[in-house]
Amino acid sequence: MGSKIGILGGGSWGTALAMLLAQKEYEVHIWVRNESQAEEIRVDRTNAKYLPGISIPKNIKVSTIVKDVVKDSEIVLLAVPTNSVREVLESIGDVVESGQIFVNVAKGIEMRSMKMISEIVAEYYPNNGFAVLSGPSHAEEVSREIPTTVVSASKSKEVAELVQDIFSSPTFRVYTNPDVLGVELGGALKNIIALGAGISDGLGYGDNTKAALMTRGIYEMSKLGVALGAEADTFSGLSGIGDLIVTCTSMHSRNRRAGILIGKGYTMAKAVEEIGMVVEGIKTTEAAYNLSKSLGIEMPITKEIYNVLYNGADVRNSVQKLMSREKKHEMEIVASLKSW
C-alpha cells in the first residue's frame, strides 16, 4: 500500500483522480461535505451526480470530516471550486504539517482577491510544497482510463517531479513545467472562451466561428497572462491551447454546455441551474474582465462575454461588435517591428 493521499472535494475531478490513485495502490481518502453523498460512495460505490455509470473502487475511503482526510496525507489534493478554497484552507490549519504538499486541480480566479490558488495557499501555508495539475482532462474520460496528458507545475523541480511520479500511469501522462502562474491562468481563462464557444453553438453558428473564437481567445489568454508575469510559451502547451481545445469542443465541458443554453436564450442563472454543477467560467469572466481593466489590456472577447453574462447584452449584438471592431494586424507585436 502506498502513502496516504487526501482529496478535498468529491466532484467529478476529485473522484476520477481518486480512482486513478487507488489503482496505483495509494491509500486514498476523499472529503465531501454532504453525508448523503458520502453514504452513496461508501455503500453503493457510486457518485451518480458527478460521474454517472462509474463504479468506485472499494479501497477508496470517504469522510465528511475534512481534518481526518488531511491528517498524515503526503499529498493534499484541492478539488473544491476556486471560491471555496480559502474556506477549506482555513478549516484545516491545526492538522497541516510542513512536509505535506498541496496539489490544486481547480481552475479559476478567486473573486474577492483576484488571486490564483497558488497565492492563496501561500498565504496560509508558505512553507508547504505546492503544485498545480492542469491540462485537457475531462474527468469522465480519465475515470474510464482514456489516454490523457496533463502538466504538473511547481516552482520546485522536486515537487513537480514528485507529483509527476505519483499521478503518472499507463493512461495518464504527466509533464512538468516551472510556470505555475501560466498553468493556473491557462486552466482558468480557457473557461471564458469555452462559454463563448458554447454561445456560438447555441446561436447556430458554425466551425468557422468557433475556430476564430479559439484562436483569438488563446491570444487574449496569453496577453493577460504575460502582463501578470506568466511565460507566453506556456499558453501554447497542454494547460493553454490543449485545455482550450478540449473545453471548447466537448459536451463534457460544463462551460460549453452553459454557453449553449445562453446562446439559446437562457439567462445566466437559468443555465447554471440547468447544468446543476459549478460553472467556473462565469465567475472567471468577471475576474478576468476586472483584471483587464485594471491593467489596461484590451480583451474584446472577454469583454463581450462579460456584457452578455452580467449586463444582459444581446448575444447577436455582441457578435456584431466583435466582427466590426477596428481593423488590426493579426500579429500586433510583429507588425510593429516590421515595415512593409
Side-chain angles (χ1 to χ4, degrees), residues 274-306:
E274 183 79 11
I275 298 299
M277 291 181 275
V278 173
V279 180
E280 287 274 26
I282 288 175
K283 288 185 178 179
T284 303
T285 299
E286 183 178 3
Y289 174 69
N290 289 333
L291 279 171
S292 70
K293 286 202 303 180
S294 67
L295 293 168
I297 295 172
E298 190 178 25
M299 296 179 69
I301 297 173
T302 299
K303 178 182 178 181
E304 290 307 324
I305 293 173
Y306 173 84

PDB file of all heavy atoms in Angstrom, residues 274-306:
ATOM      1  N   GLU A 274     -29.640  24.662 -14.796  1.00  0.00           N
ATOM      2  CA  GLU A 274     -29.823  23.515 -15.691  1.00  0.00           C
ATOM      3  C   GLU A 274     -28.592  22.593 -15.660  1.00  0.00           C
ATOM      4  O   GLU A 274     -28.734  21.368 -15.661  1.00  0.00           O
ATOM      5  CB  GLU A 274     -30.058  24.015 -17.112  1.00  0.00           C
ATOM      6  CG  GLU A 274     -30.327  22.936 -18.140  1.00  0.00           C
ATOM      7  CD  GLU A 274     -31.754  22.411 -18.094  1.00  0.00           C
ATOM      8  OE1 GLU A 274     -32.599  23.027 -17.399  1.00  0.00           O
ATOM      9  OE2 GLU A 274     -32.014  21.385 -18.741  1.00  0.00           O
ATOM     10  N   ILE A 275     -27.397  23.166 -15.613  1.00  0.00           N
ATOM     11  CA  ILE A 275     -26.169  22.362 -15.559  1.00  0.00           C
ATOM     12  C   ILE A 275     -26.099  21.601 -14.244  1.00  0.00           C
ATOM     13  O   ILE A 275     -25.676  20.439 -14.195  1.00  0.00           O
ATOM     14  CB  ILE A 275     -24.919  23.244 -15.744  1.00  0.00           C
ATOM     15  CG1 ILE A 275     -24.944  23.920 -17.129  1.00  0.00           C
ATOM     16  CG2 ILE A 275     -23.632  22.432 -15.570  1.00  0.00           C
ATOM     17  CD1 ILE A 275     -24.944  22.982 -18.304  1.00  0.00           C
ATOM     18  N   GLY A 276     -26.476  22.238 -13.150  1.00  0.00           N
ATOM     19  CA  GLY A 276     -26.550  21.560 -11.856  1.00  0.00           C
ATOM     20  C   GLY A 276     -25.217  21.417 -11.137  1.00  0.00           C
ATOM     21  O   GLY A 276     -25.140  20.750 -10.101  1.00  0.00           O
ATOM     22  N   MET A 277     -24.161  22.003 -11.662  1.00  0.00           N
ATOM     23  CA  MET A 277     -22.843  21.978 -11.034  1.00  0.00           C
ATOM     24  C   MET A 277     -22.177  23.333 -11.238  1.00  0.00           C
ATOM     25  O   MET A 277     -22.669  24.164 -11.994  1.00  0.00           O
ATOM     26  CB  MET A 277     -21.979  20.852 -11.637  1.00  0.00           C
ATOM     27  CG  MET A 277     -22.436  19.448 -11.285  1.00  0.00           C
ATOM     28  SD  MET A 277     -21.382  18.161 -12.003  1.00  0.00           S
ATOM     29  CE  MET A 277     -22.120  17.988 -13.638  1.00  0.00           C
ATOM     30  N   VAL A 278     -21.061  23.551 -10.547  1.00  0.00           N
ATOM     31  CA  VAL A 278     -20.358  24.835 -10.662  1.00  0.00           C
ATOM     32  C   VAL A 278     -19.859  25.033 -12.089  1.00  0.00           C
ATOM     33  O   VAL A 278     -19.262  24.139 -12.687  1.00  0.00           O
ATOM     34  CB  VAL A 278     -19.172  24.894  -9.681  1.00  0.00           C
ATOM     35  CG1 VAL A 278     -18.335  26.150  -9.917  1.00  0.00           C
ATOM     36  CG2 VAL A 278     -19.682  24.860  -8.240  1.00  0.00           C
ATOM     37  N   VAL A 279     -20.124  26.214 -12.640  1.00  0.00           N
ATOM     38  CA  VAL A 279     -19.616  26.602 -13.956  1.00  0.00           C
ATOM     39  C   VAL A 279     -18.560  27.673 -13.704  1.00  0.00           C
ATOM     40  O   VAL A 279     -18.859  28.866 -13.605  1.00  0.00           O
ATOM     41  CB  VAL A 279     -20.750  27.129 -14.861  1.00  0.00           C
ATOM     42  CG1 VAL A 279     -20.206  27.524 -16.233  1.00  0.00           C
ATOM     43  CG2 VAL A 279     -21.846  26.073 -15.012  1.00  0.00           C
ATOM     44  N   GLU A 280     -17.289  27.242 -13.574  1.00  0.00           N
ATOM     45  CA  GLU A 280     -16.219  28.131 -13.134  1.00  0.00           C
ATOM     46  C   GLU A 280     -16.041  29.344 -14.045  1.00  0.00           C
ATOM     47  O   GLU A 280     -15.649  30.420 -13.603  1.00  0.00           O
ATOM     48  CB  GLU A 280     -14.897  27.360 -13.054  1.00  0.00           C
ATOM     49  CG  GLU A 280     -14.792  26.385 -11.888  1.00  0.00           C
ATOM     50  CD  GLU A 280     -14.295  27.033 -10.605  1.00  0.00           C
ATOM     51  OE1 GLU A 280     -14.493  28.260 -10.427  1.00  0.00           O
ATOM     52  OE2 GLU A 280     -13.726  26.316  -9.768  1.00  0.00           O
ATOM     53  N   GLY A 281     -16.313  29.174 -15.335  1.00  0.00           N
ATOM     54  CA  GLY A 281     -16.057  30.254 -16.281  1.00  0.00           C
ATOM     55  C   GLY A 281     -16.871  31.501 -16.037  1.00  0.00           C
ATOM     56  O   GLY A 281     -16.473  32.594 -16.458  1.00  0.00           O
ATOM     57  N   ILE A 282     -18.004  31.375 -15.353  1.00  0.00           N
ATOM     58  CA  ILE A 282     -18.863  32.540 -15.137  1.00  0.00           C
ATOM     59  C   ILE A 282     -18.186  33.544 -14.205  1.00  0.00           C
ATOM     60  O   ILE A 282     -18.073  34.738 -14.522  1.00  0.00           O
ATOM     61  CB  ILE A 282     -20.240  32.096 -14.620  1.00  0.00           C
ATOM     62  CG1 ILE A 282     -21.017  31.431 -15.765  1.00  0.00           C
ATOM     63  CG2 ILE A 282     -21.020  33.274 -14.043  1.00  0.00           C
ATOM     64  CD1 ILE A 282     -22.347  30.840 -15.367  1.00  0.00           C
ATOM     65  N   LYS A 283     -17.706  33.077 -13.060  1.00  0.00           N
ATOM     66  CA  LYS A 283     -17.002  33.978 -12.146  1.00  0.00           C
ATOM     67  C   LYS A 283     -15.636  34.384 -12.711  1.00  0.00           C
ATOM     68  O   LYS A 283     -15.174  35.501 -12.496  1.00  0.00           O
ATOM     69  CB  LYS A 283     -16.853  33.326 -10.776  1.00  0.00           C
ATOM     70  CG  LYS A 283     -18.166  33.241 -10.005  1.00  0.00           C
ATOM     71  CD  LYS A 283     -17.982  32.692  -8.600  1.00  0.00           C
ATOM     72  CE  LYS A 283     -19.311  32.683  -7.855  1.00  0.00           C
ATOM     73  NZ  LYS A 283     -19.158  32.123  -6.481  1.00  0.00           N
ATOM     74  N   THR A 284     -15.007  33.463 -13.436  1.00  0.00           N
ATOM     75  CA  THR A 284     -13.709  33.787 -14.029  1.00  0.00           C
ATOM     76  C   THR A 284     -13.842  34.909 -15.049  1.00  0.00           C
ATOM     77  O   THR A 284     -12.947  35.744 -15.191  1.00  0.00           O
ATOM     78  CB  THR A 284     -13.089  32.543 -14.686  1.00  0.00           C
ATOM     79  OG1 THR A 284     -12.973  31.506 -13.707  1.00  0.00           O
ATOM     80  CG2 THR A 284     -11.703  32.848 -15.235  1.00  0.00           C
ATOM     81  N   THR A 285     -14.952  34.949 -15.778  1.00  0.00           N
ATOM     82  CA  THR A 285     -15.177  36.029 -16.741  1.00  0.00           C
ATOM     83  C   THR A 285     -15.173  37.379 -16.046  1.00  0.00           C
ATOM     84  O   THR A 285     -14.533  38.336 -16.512  1.00  0.00           O
ATOM     85  CB  THR A 285     -16.514  35.829 -17.479  1.00  0.00           C
ATOM     86  OG1 THR A 285     -16.479  34.602 -18.200  1.00  0.00           O
ATOM     87  CG2 THR A 285     -16.788  36.979 -18.446  1.00  0.00           C
ATOM     88  N   GLU A 286     -15.862  37.467 -14.916  1.00  0.00           N
ATOM     89  CA  GLU A 286     -15.891  38.729 -14.173  1.00  0.00           C
ATOM     90  C   GLU A 286     -14.503  39.085 -13.662  1.00  0.00           C
ATOM     91  O   GLU A 286     -14.069  40.239 -13.762  1.00  0.00           O
ATOM     92  CB  GLU A 286     -16.872  38.634 -13.006  1.00  0.00           C
ATOM     93  CG  GLU A 286     -17.006  39.936 -12.230  1.00  0.00           C
ATOM     94  CD  GLU A 286     -18.016  39.866 -11.101  1.00  0.00           C
ATOM     95  OE1 GLU A 286     -18.593  38.784 -10.877  1.00  0.00           O
ATOM     96  OE2 GLU A 286     -18.219  40.903 -10.435  1.00  0.00           O
ATOM     97  N   ALA A 287     -13.792  38.088 -13.134  1.00  0.00           N
ATOM     98  CA  ALA A 287     -12.449  38.340 -12.606  1.00  0.00           C
ATOM     99  C   ALA A 287     -11.499  38.803 -13.705  1.00  0.00           C
ATOM    100  O   ALA A 287     -10.743  39.772 -13.536  1.00  0.00           O
ATOM    101  CB  ALA A 287     -11.911  37.079 -11.934  1.00  0.00           C
ATOM    102  N   ALA A 288     -11.503  38.109 -14.833  1.00  0.00           N
ATOM    103  CA  ALA A 288     -10.603  38.460 -15.934  1.00  0.00           C
ATOM    104  C   ALA A 288     -10.954  39.826 -16.515  1.00  0.00           C
ATOM    105  O   ALA A 288     -10.053  40.612 -16.873  1.00  0.00           O
ATOM    106  CB  ALA A 288     -10.665  37.400 -17.019  1.00  0.00           C
ATOM    107  N   TYR A 289     -12.239  40.125 -16.622  1.00  0.00           N
ATOM    108  CA  TYR A 289     -12.660  41.436 -17.133  1.00  0.00           C
ATOM    109  C   TYR A 289     -12.146  42.548 -16.221  1.00  0.00           C
ATOM    110  O   TYR A 289     -11.602  43.556 -16.693  1.00  0.00           O
ATOM    111  CB  TYR A 289     -14.183  41.486 -17.230  1.00  0.00           C
ATOM    112  CG  TYR A 289     -14.733  42.842 -17.612  1.00  0.00           C
ATOM    113  CD1 TYR A 289     -14.535  43.367 -18.885  1.00  0.00           C
ATOM    114  CD2 TYR A 289     -15.436  43.598 -16.682  1.00  0.00           C
ATOM    115  CE1 TYR A 289     -15.028  44.617 -19.227  1.00  0.00           C
ATOM    116  CE2 TYR A 289     -15.937  44.850 -17.020  1.00  0.00           C
ATOM    117  CZ  TYR A 289     -15.731  45.358 -18.287  1.00  0.00           C
ATOM    118  OH  TYR A 289     -16.224  46.602 -18.623  1.00  0.00           O
ATOM    119  N   ASN A 290     -12.286  42.353 -14.905  1.00  0.00           N
ATOM    120  CA  ASN A 290     -11.813  43.360 -13.955  1.00  0.00           C
ATOM    121  C   ASN A 290     -10.285  43.495 -13.999  1.00  0.00           C
ATOM    122  O   ASN A 290      -9.749  44.602 -13.910  1.00  0.00           O
ATOM    123  CB  ASN A 290     -12.276  43.016 -12.541  1.00  0.00           C
ATOM    124  CG  ASN A 290     -13.772  43.208 -12.359  1.00  0.00           C
ATOM    125  OD1 ASN A 290     -14.384  44.022 -13.059  1.00  0.00           O
ATOM    126  ND2 ASN A 290     -14.368  42.474 -11.441  1.00  0.00           N
ATOM    127  N   LEU A 291      -9.592  42.378 -14.137  1.00  0.00           N
ATOM    128  CA  LEU A 291      -8.134  42.425 -14.252  1.00  0.00           C
ATOM    129  C   LEU A 291      -7.702  43.163 -15.514  1.00  0.00           C
ATOM    130  O   LEU A 291      -6.765  43.971 -15.490  1.00  0.00           O
ATOM    131  CB  LEU A 291      -7.559  41.002 -14.265  1.00  0.00           C
ATOM    132  CG  LEU A 291      -7.393  40.307 -12.921  1.00  0.00           C
ATOM    133  CD1 LEU A 291      -7.025  38.831 -13.131  1.00  0.00           C
ATOM    134  CD2 LEU A 291      -6.318  40.998 -12.076  1.00  0.00           C
ATOM    135  N   SER A 292      -8.384  42.880 -16.619  1.00  0.00           N
ATOM    136  CA  SER A 292      -8.015  43.537 -17.879  1.00  0.00           C
ATOM    137  C   SER A 292      -8.209  45.050 -17.787  1.00  0.00           C
ATOM    138  O   SER A 292      -7.391  45.825 -18.315  1.00  0.00           O
ATOM    139  CB  SER A 292      -8.830  42.969 -19.044  1.00  0.00           C
ATOM    140  OG  SER A 292     -10.192  43.359 -18.972  1.00  0.00           O
ATOM    141  N   LYS A 293      -9.254  45.469 -17.105  1.00  0.00           N
ATOM    142  CA  LYS A 293      -9.486  46.910 -16.933  1.00  0.00           C
ATOM    143  C   LYS A 293      -8.409  47.534 -16.061  1.00  0.00           C
ATOM    144  O   LYS A 293      -7.897  48.617 -16.368  1.00  0.00           O
ATOM    145  CB  LYS A 293     -10.869  47.161 -16.320  1.00  0.00           C
ATOM    146  CG  LYS A 293     -12.032  46.939 -17.280  1.00  0.00           C
ATOM    147  CD  LYS A 293     -13.277  47.698 -16.826  1.00  0.00           C
ATOM    148  CE  LYS A 293     -13.679  47.305 -15.416  1.00  0.00           C
ATOM    149  NZ  LYS A 293     -14.887  48.050 -14.966  1.00  0.00           N
ATOM    150  N   SER A 294      -8.067  46.857 -14.960  1.00  0.00           N
ATOM    151  CA  SER A 294      -7.071  47.424 -14.042  1.00  0.00           C
ATOM    152  C   SER A 294      -5.688  47.490 -14.676  1.00  0.00           C
ATOM    153  O   SER A 294      -4.886  48.375 -14.347  1.00  0.00           O
ATOM    154  CB  SER A 294      -7.022  46.609 -12.747  1.00  0.00           C
ATOM    155  OG  SER A 294      -6.516  45.312 -12.989  1.00  0.00           O
ATOM    156  N   LEU A 295      -5.403  46.569 -15.612  1.00  0.00           N
ATOM    157  CA  LEU A 295      -4.101  46.525 -16.275  1.00  0.00           C
ATOM    158  C   LEU A 295      -4.084  47.293 -17.591  1.00  0.00           C
ATOM    159  O   LEU A 295      -3.029  47.436 -18.222  1.00  0.00           O
ATOM    160  CB  LEU A 295      -3.694  45.074 -16.531  1.00  0.00           C
ATOM    161  CG  LEU A 295      -3.403  44.223 -15.287  1.00  0.00           C
ATOM    162  CD1 LEU A 295      -3.309  42.758 -15.665  1.00  0.00           C
ATOM    163  CD2 LEU A 295      -2.122  44.692 -14.608  1.00  0.00           C
ATOM    164  N   GLY A 296      -5.247  47.747 -18.034  1.00  0.00           N
ATOM    165  CA  GLY A 296      -5.329  48.464 -19.300  1.00  0.00           C
ATOM    166  C   GLY A 296      -5.093  47.578 -20.508  1.00  0.00           C
ATOM    167  O   GLY A 296      -4.516  48.013 -21.508  1.00  0.00           O
ATOM    168  N   ILE A 297      -5.549  46.328 -20.430  1.00  0.00           N
ATOM    169  CA  ILE A 297      -5.347  45.358 -21.511  1.00  0.00           C
ATOM    170  C   ILE A 297      -6.656  45.157 -22.268  1.00  0.00           C
ATOM    171  O   ILE A 297      -7.715  44.945 -21.669  1.00  0.00           O
ATOM    172  CB  ILE A 297      -4.863  44.008 -20.941  1.00  0.00           C
ATOM    173  CG1 ILE A 297      -3.481  44.180 -20.321  1.00  0.00           C
ATOM    174  CG2 ILE A 297      -4.815  42.934 -22.017  1.00  0.00           C
ATOM    175  CD1 ILE A 297      -3.018  42.964 -19.571  1.00  0.00           C
ATOM    176  N   GLU A 298      -6.570  45.197 -23.581  1.00  0.00           N
ATOM    177  CA  GLU A 298      -7.757  45.003 -24.407  1.00  0.00           C
ATOM    178  C   GLU A 298      -8.044  43.511 -24.561  1.00  0.00           C
ATOM    179  O   GLU A 298      -7.222  42.754 -25.065  1.00  0.00           O
ATOM    180  CB  GLU A 298      -7.537  45.643 -25.782  1.00  0.00           C
ATOM    181  CG  GLU A 298      -8.806  45.711 -26.620  1.00  0.00           C
ATOM    182  CD  GLU A 298      -8.565  46.394 -27.948  1.00  0.00           C
ATOM    183  OE1 GLU A 298      -7.418  46.390 -28.429  1.00  0.00           O
ATOM    184  OE2 GLU A 298      -9.537  46.928 -28.516  1.00  0.00           O
ATOM    185  N   MET A 299      -9.214  43.079 -24.106  1.00  0.00           N
ATOM    186  CA  MET A 299      -9.656  41.683 -24.225  1.00  0.00           C
ATOM    187  C   MET A 299     -11.094  41.687 -24.745  1.00  0.00           C
ATOM    188  O   MET A 299     -12.049  41.510 -23.974  1.00  0.00           O
ATOM    189  CB  MET A 299      -9.557  40.963 -22.881  1.00  0.00           C
ATOM    190  CG  MET A 299      -8.128  40.840 -22.353  1.00  0.00           C
ATOM    191  SD  MET A 299      -8.025  40.001 -20.748  1.00  0.00           S
ATOM    192  CE  MET A 299      -8.486  38.314 -21.195  1.00  0.00           C
ATOM    193  N   PRO A 300     -11.283  41.909 -26.043  1.00  0.00           N
ATOM    194  CA  PRO A 300     -12.633  42.117 -26.578  1.00  0.00           C
ATOM    195  C   PRO A 300     -13.575  40.931 -26.402  1.00  0.00           C
ATOM    196  O   PRO A 300     -14.774  41.125 -26.148  1.00  0.00           O
ATOM    197  CB  PRO A 300     -12.382  42.417 -28.059  1.00  0.00           C
ATOM    198  CG  PRO A 300     -10.998  41.931 -28.334  1.00  0.00           C
ATOM    199  CD  PRO A 300     -10.244  42.078 -27.058  1.00  0.00           C
ATOM    200  N   ILE A 301     -13.091  39.706 -26.558  1.00  0.00           N
ATOM    201  CA  ILE A 301     -13.977  38.544 -26.400  1.00  0.00           C
ATOM    202  C   ILE A 301     -14.451  38.450 -24.954  1.00  0.00           C
ATOM    203  O   ILE A 301     -15.645  38.282 -24.679  1.00  0.00           O
ATOM    204  CB  ILE A 301     -13.270  37.241 -26.823  1.00  0.00           C
ATOM    205  CG1 ILE A 301     -12.906  37.293 -28.304  1.00  0.00           C
ATOM    206  CG2 ILE A 301     -14.145  36.026 -26.531  1.00  0.00           C
ATOM    207  CD1 ILE A 301     -12.052  36.118 -28.771  1.00  0.00           C
ATOM    208  N   THR A 302     -13.510  38.584 -24.033  1.00  0.00           N
ATOM    209  CA  THR A 302     -13.862  38.538 -22.607  1.00  0.00           C
ATOM    210  C   THR A 302     -14.845  39.648 -22.258  1.00  0.00           C
ATOM    211  O   THR A 302     -15.816  39.420 -21.519  1.00  0.00           O
ATOM    212  CB  THR A 302     -12.583  38.673 -21.755  1.00  0.00           C
ATOM    213  OG1 THR A 302     -11.706  37.581 -22.061  1.00  0.00           O
ATOM    214  CG2 THR A 302     -12.904  38.663 -20.269  1.00  0.00           C
ATOM    215  N   LYS A 303     -14.612  40.830 -22.799  1.00  0.00           N
ATOM    216  CA  LYS A 303     -15.497  41.968 -22.522  1.00  0.00           C
ATOM    217  C   LYS A 303     -16.915  41.686 -22.993  1.00  0.00           C
ATOM    218  O   LYS A 303     -17.893  41.947 -22.264  1.00  0.00           O
ATOM    219  CB  LYS A 303     -14.958  43.221 -23.200  1.00  0.00           C
ATOM    220  CG  LYS A 303     -15.841  44.447 -23.013  1.00  0.00           C
ATOM    221  CD  LYS A 303     -15.263  45.658 -23.752  1.00  0.00           C
ATOM    222  CE  LYS A 303     -16.174  46.866 -23.614  1.00  0.00           C
ATOM    223  NZ  LYS A 303     -15.619  48.046 -24.349  1.00  0.00           N
ATOM    224  N   GLU A 304     -17.072  41.157 -24.201  1.00  0.00           N
ATOM    225  CA  GLU A 304     -18.420  40.907 -24.719  1.00  0.00           C
ATOM    226  C   GLU A 304     -19.115  39.774 -23.967  1.00  0.00           C
ATOM    227  O   GLU A 304     -20.323  39.828 -23.729  1.00  0.00           O
ATOM    228  CB  GLU A 304     -18.371  40.617 -26.213  1.00  0.00           C
ATOM    229  CG  GLU A 304     -18.012  41.821 -27.061  1.00  0.00           C
ATOM    230  CD  GLU A 304     -18.900  43.037 -26.801  1.00  0.00           C
ATOM    231  OE1 GLU A 304     -20.112  42.856 -26.539  1.00  0.00           O
ATOM    232  OE2 GLU A 304     -18.375  44.163 -26.837  1.00  0.00           O
ATOM    233  N   ILE A 305     -18.357  38.738 -23.581  1.00  0.00           N
ATOM    234  CA  ILE A 305     -18.970  37.662 -22.798  1.00  0.00           C
ATOM    235  C   ILE A 305     -19.395  38.185 -21.428  1.00  0.00           C
ATOM    236  O   ILE A 305     -20.474  37.850 -20.926  1.00  0.00           O
ATOM    237  CB  ILE A 305     -18.008  36.461 -22.670  1.00  0.00           C
ATOM    238  CG1 ILE A 305     -17.812  35.825 -24.055  1.00  0.00           C
ATOM    239  CG2 ILE A 305     -18.555  35.412 -21.690  1.00  0.00           C
ATOM    240  CD1 ILE A 305     -16.758  34.742 -24.092  1.00  0.00           C
ATOM    241  N   TYR A 306     -18.565  39.056 -20.852  1.00  0.00           N
ATOM    242  CA  TYR A 306     -18.937  39.701 -19.586  1.00  0.00           C
ATOM    243  C   TYR A 306     -20.240  40.487 -19.746  1.00  0.00           C
ATOM    244  O   TYR A 306     -21.142  40.419 -18.897  1.00  0.00           O
ATOM    245  CB  TYR A 306     -17.811  40.629 -19.122  1.00  0.00           C
ATOM    246  CG  TYR A 306     -18.173  41.458 -17.913  1.00  0.00           C
ATOM    247  CD1 TYR A 306     -18.037  40.940 -16.627  1.00  0.00           C
ATOM    248  CD2 TYR A 306     -18.668  42.760 -18.063  1.00  0.00           C
ATOM    249  CE1 TYR A 306     -18.393  41.701 -15.516  1.00  0.00           C
ATOM    250  CE2 TYR A 306     -19.016  43.526 -16.959  1.00  0.00           C
ATOM    251  CZ  TYR A 306     -18.877  42.991 -15.687  1.00  0.00           C
ATOM    252  OH  TYR A 306     -19.233  43.742 -14.591  1.00  0.00           O
TER     253      TYR A 306
END
